[in-house]
Amino acid sequence: MAGLTHLLNFVQVWRGTTSDLNPDCMKRFLLFRRTLLLAVGLWVLGFAVQAQPSMKEGYINVPGGKVWYKVLGADKPGIPLLLLHGGPGSGSGSFEGFAALADERPVILYDQLGCGKSDRPDNPRLWTMERFVTELEQVVAALGYPKLHLLGHSWGATLATEYLLTQKPPGVVSVILSSPLLDTKLWVQDAERYIGQLPPTQQRAMRLYAATDEPSKQAYKEAVTLYNRQHLYRNGPMPPNPTFGTQVYETMWGPDEAQATGSLKSYSRAADLKKLTLPVLYLCGRYDEAAPATVAYFQKQTPNSQLVIFENASHKAYWEVPEEYFKTVRGFLRKQK
């Protein structure tokens, strides 16, 4: 009976339905109740932290509009990897395969202004190197990570290099320059060599980008398709890209991958690569329009760097040989602190 009486007293105290119990008993049980409630509260809070979403997305204000971003593996503990897409104007849609790396660290994609899911203002004056560097600065600031790895592909490697050289961001731990455009003169020289390997009819057709008659426009389109199948993406026809930023691309680069007529036509940072002192990984494909010999030249100018060439790939190695590509990137990132 005494045990039953104590149990009933416990219940009464817990429910707060009695006030005439022994004061010591009341004090002990109230302390027990507070302790238990605190423990339950901490458990719920811990569960909520553990259950934070693994993916988040949103928009960031930049000069000229808003840019869309997405973070994969947002709940992972590793230093985040920020991806800079090519083009200019290609968008980050082709980067979905980088989700393979989001099991260890956050992987951040964003569409630069003028393409993808970001605002696409009709204003050619916006498409300058300086504005894109400022845009990148504001994206990094809005994300708020104290440390980052950068990976830039093609024009994205150009943007990453400009950002590092001009802004010297202290939080960037390493950079991966994948199929980089770092000197337009060398890029075009390589393209001329590649064009010279096409059949004579296609060689002539590649020069018809300004033609207005339908036969010439069709011949030019077929020649560009052949060039791209050899040096841009070798696994078949390029997937459609309905949000491609044509105005950005043509303003800054030109009519196609091989011919530079825009504001980047005189671009070169080859002489400044010695100023990159952080760890640098260069990547390219054996048949890349960022030709292996040229990328090897860039790597030799860069103090703390290495180069990996993917033998069965061209410019889109992360699509063409994804297992090899992501294994290489993962290994490099794991070595950085």
Side-chain angles (χ1 to χ4, degrees):
M1 285 295 294
L4 179 60
T5 300
H6 285 311
L7 178 61
L8 291 174
N9 286 341
F10 268 56
V11 172
Q12 287 177 318
V13 173
W14 180 262
R15 296 174 61 189
T17 57
T18 182
S19 61
D20 57 356
L21 294 174
N22 181 289
D24 290 338
C25 182
M26 174 72 80
K27 185 182 296 184
R28 286 195 301 272
F29 279 100
L30 289 177
L31 179 61
F32 169 75
R33 186 169 66 174
R34 286 198 300 269
T35 302
L36 183 58
L37 289 172
L38 177 61
V40 171
L42 291 174
W43 178 82
V44 171
L45 178 61
F47 180 80
V49 170
Q50 290 179 356
Q52 64 178 302
S54 61
M55 191 276 284
K56 61 182 180 180
E57 61 183 308
Y59 288 87
I60 297 170
N61 289 314
V62 300
K66 294 181 179 181
V67 296
W68 173 87
Y69 76 94
K70 178 165 67 173
V71 183
L72 306 170
D75 57 340
K76 297 300 183 287
I79 297 173
L81 173 64
L82 176 59
L83 307 176
L84 308 179
H85 66 71
S90 292
S92 66
S94 66
F95 278 167
E96 290 295 339
F98 280 84
L101 302 173
D103 59 340
E104 295 183 350
R105 68 189 69 250
V107 175
I108 308 152
L109 302 75
Y110 83 95
D111 290 331
Q112 297 157 25
L113 194 72
C115 65
K117 297 179 182 179
S118 295
D119 288 346
R120 303 175 68 184
D122 181 11
N123 184 358
R125 289 178 295 179
L126 289 171
W127 316 131
T128 67
M129 178 72 77
E130 293 75 18
R131 198 213 61 84
F132 277 109
V133 169
T134 300
E135 174 184 291
L136 175 54
E137 278 190 289
Q138 296 189 359
V139 168
V140 170
L143 291 169
Y145 294 109
K147 292 183 178 181
L148 285 171
H149 300 288
L150 295 182
L151 185 150
H153 177 257
S154 195
W155 144 258
T158 314
L159 178 57
T161 302
E162 286 299 309
Y163 175 59
L164 293 171
L165 290 174
T166 61
Q167 307 306 310
K168 300 177 176 57
V172 177
V173 175
S174 72
V175 63
I176 300 173
L177 302 177
S178 181
S179 302
L181 165 67
L182 298 175
D183 187 292
T184 302
K185 180 179 178 180
L186 295 178
W187 182 287
V188 172
Q189 287 178 356
D190 292 328
E192 289 294 326
R193 177 168 52 84
Y194 288 147
I195 290 173
Q197 297 168 0
L198 297 175
T201 301
Q202 276 70 38
Q203 292 183 38
R204 292 190 294 272
M206 284 290 292
R207 312 304 182 189
L208 299 176
Y209 58 85
T212 56
D213 62 287
E214 286 304 319
S216 295
K217 288 195 292 185
Q218 183 60 31
Y220 168 70
K221 181 179 178 180
E222 292 174 357
V224 169
T225 298
L226 178 60
Y227 182 93
N228 290 347
R229 284 289 299 272
Q230 294 183 7
H231 303 292
L232 182 66
Y233 179 62
R234 296 172 70 85
N235 285 1
M238 278 287 294
N241 185 357
T243 59
F244 184 82
T246 302
Q247 186 184 89
V248 187
Y249 183 81
E250 293 181 350
T251 300
M252 296 189 72
W253 181 249
D256 58 66
E257 291 293 283
Q259 300 174 101
T261 58
S263 60
L264 291 171
K265 63 184 177 182
S266 300
Y267 176 78
S268 177
R269 276 294 191 177
D272 297 314
L273 296 175
K274 60 181 179 293
K275 300 176 184 177
L276 294 178
T277 57
L278 76 174
V280 180
L281 173 62
Y282 286 94
L283 303 174
C284 72
R286 176 60 64 190
Y287 307 99
D288 207 320
E289 53 187 338
T294 299
V295 179
Y297 166 72
F298 296 148
Q299 186 263 322
K300 290 177 181 177
Q301 313 309 309
T302 311
N304 187 14
S305 67
Q306 56 185 291
L307 167 64
V308 175
I309 299 171
F310 301 109
E311 293 299 329
N312 297 308
S314 59
H315 199 57
K316 298 281 188 179
Y318 55 87
W319 272 356
E320 296 164 304
V321 288
E323 183 175 352
E324 186 180 356
Y325 187 95
F326 294 123
K327 180 180 178 181
T328 301
V329 172
R330 185 188 298 276
F332 175 76
L333 294 177
R334 283 178 174 176
K335 295 177 182 178
Q336 314 309 320
K337 302 298 183 183

